[in-house]
Amino acid sequence: MSKYTHHPVILFDGLCNFCNAAVNFTLKRDKKKQLRFTAFQSLAGQQLAQQFGFSSHNMASFVFIENGKTYLYATAALRVCRYLRQPWPLLYALILVPPFFRDGLYKYIAKNRIKWFGARPHCMIPTPDVKAQFLSE
C-alpha cells in the first residue's frame, strides 16, 4: 500500500475549473474529513498515477483510490458520494445502472470539461483549513 493511501484519495486535474469545483464541493460535504486529494500535476499525484498505472498527462477523468483499488468514471464519483453527508450517499444506488450508460454520460462531460468550464494556469492552493486533506511532496 502506498504511503499516500491510508485514506481514500481523489486524484484530479488541478488545472481544470470543473475538477476544482468538484473538489471544493466534496471538501464542504466530507464532514468527517476522510478523503484526501491531490492533483495529477503534483509530485504525490504523479507518484500515485505511476504506482497505479495511470498517465498523469491527458487524463480525462479523476481517479479514486480506496483500499488499494482504483475506480474511474461514474463508479469513482458514486463511491465518493458514500463519504459525503446526506443526501449524497443515496446517489450510490445509481451503481445499479449499467456502466455503459453511466460511464457514457460521465465520459461526455469529462471530454468537454475544459471547453465548457475552462482551465487555470496553476493548480489550486489549498486554504489552511483544508490543507491537511491534501497530499504533499
Side-chain angles (χ1 to χ4, degrees):
M1 185 173 277
S2 169
K3 67 180 179 177
Y4 297 119
T5 56
H6 298 297
H7 292 273
V9 177
I10 296 173
L11 257 71
F12 66 98
D13 181 349
L15 303 178
C16 167
N17 287 333
F18 181 76
C19 300
N20 281 285
V23 166
N24 288 326
F25 176 90
T26 303
L27 281 164
K28 288 178 184 173
R29 288 155 183 82
D30 177 19
K31 291 299 181 186
K32 294 182 182 177
K33 300 187 184 316
Q34 300 174 82
L35 300 171
R36 298 297 178 261
F37 304 84
T38 191
F40 282 111
Q41 294 85 353
S42 72
L43 180 58
Q46 291 172 15
Q47 290 173 344
L48 284 169
Q50 181 180 14
Q51 177 184 344
F52 289 98
F54 293 99
S55 170
S56 59
H57 303 291
N58 302 321
M59 196 54 156
S61 177
F62 77 98
V63 176
F64 184 56
I65 303 168
E66 182 183 45
N67 297 322
K69 295 180 183 175
T70 58
Y71 301 92
L72 298 172
Y73 312 121
T75 302
L78 293 172
R79 291 186 77 85
V80 167
C81 286
R82 297 179 316 146
Y83 290 90
L84 308 180
R85 70 172 186 248
Q86 291 296 341
W88 301 104
L90 298 174
L91 288 177
Y92 190 70
L94 294 174
I95 203 79
L96 298 173
V97 174
F100 172 80
F101 294 112
R102 66 177 195 255
D103 288 345
L105 176 61
Y106 183 98
K107 289 175 183 179
Y108 177 73
I109 294 169
K111 179 181 172 184
N112 292 289
R113 64 195 161 89
I114 301 296
K115 180 171 56 172
W116 295 341
F117 301 100
R120 54 185 68 202
H122 305 287
C123 289
M124 69 181 276
I125 298 173
T127 58
D129 59 321
V130 297
K131 188 172 177 95
Q133 287 181 264
F134 283 78
L135 304 180
S136 61
E137 272 196 45

